Amino acid sequence: MRDYADSSLNFDDFVDKYVVLNEDYVDFKAKIAREQMINAGFIEDNIIKFSIRPFDVQYAYHSNLRALWRRPRPEYRNQIDGINEFFVSRMNSGKRDEGMPVSITRNGIDYHFMAPNAVAFPVRVSTTQPASDGLFASTEPSLRANLSAGARAYLAALGAPDPDASPAGAALLWHHALAVGFSGAYLSEHAGGIAGDWPRIPLPGSLAALTASAALGARVAALLDDPQVPTRAELGAVGRLKRVGGDDQGFEVRAGWGAVQRGNVVMPGRGRTTERAADGLPPGLGDRVLDVALNDAWVWENVPTGVWAYTIGGYQVMKKWLSYREFGVLGRALTLDEAREVSRMARRLAELVLLGPDLDASYARVQGDVWAWGAGG
């Protein structure tokens, strides 16, 4: 991106060097975008973590230049600071096998982070505006919880802490919603309504129940959004990278997981897996596992079938990630750390599977004592 903003490197030379940003697309004119980028200059703070799909964190150069970004959404960008969380959902289900209809992240997200499209709700709202936005722009940071008047009244009636006073207080309701949204019992009981509309989340009738549910949601949030989060020790064998022989292709993903179709659209492929009986894994992960092929020489072993099938927002998490890393799509081998990221991903998903009974039990407790709107102040 520094070179993209460098006026000494002409358009053709840039294209020869990088072979990117050289073709016109819908609302993207390659040469006009390059000229605007040169005029604006490179800004290092514009590089942000950007989640393309659940568990698929990349980087983006976000700019408010409309020639570069079709919909830059500066009001959304102003909320992304790497600390603030965003609760993510969608207006309705875009796929029959949607899996979990909610997620959470501290990163920017792609519009298709969930199918058919995703909406990110900031847990806290910054009212600070960059000085360049206008004469009366604020320069002092100001954060408040992103809650409606009704939500604030509910928390006050329960005796909850001031949600504007701390990130944990602001996240209390959002983490509760995440815990309910990841309960299989909730999804099964309300499948029709959830498919056709926003998920409707029941609210607990007591602060103790809300706090307990939110604590579970906070653990779900960590597993969803932190690639380095420590997982349970007994999950160490899940998704282990293993050499199985064959010609050494390094970590080039060559197992048919994805291919580029017309219009540069990446379509998932069938890939290669070998199913076998599980051995030595914690109860709750099922009795069958897959060895998932990286190429002829390497596999990720001991991936429980429930982990492999885990779906968020309409995307089968592990398979979707691999589809973008097939050698014919990515154009290079994975680094060792990227190969190990698949192992970490499998373990995080495995812990989410193991949390299922606790999430269902928490949802059952909430259903047994639901807050009665209109009767509780």
Side-chain angles (χ1 to χ4, degrees), residues 133-157:
D133 279 4
L135 180 62
F136 300 105
S138 169
T139 57
E140 293 298 321
S142 178
L143 288 171
R144 59 179 176 82
N146 187 25
L147 297 169
S148 68
R152 289 173 179 273
Y154 163 73
L155 290 173

Side-chain angles (χ1 to χ4, degrees), residues 6-19:
D6 185 353
S7 60
S8 69
L9 191 65
N10 67 43
F11 182 83
D12 292 334
D13 289 341
F14 175 86
V15 169
D16 289 342
K17 185 175 181 179
Y18 292 104
V19 201

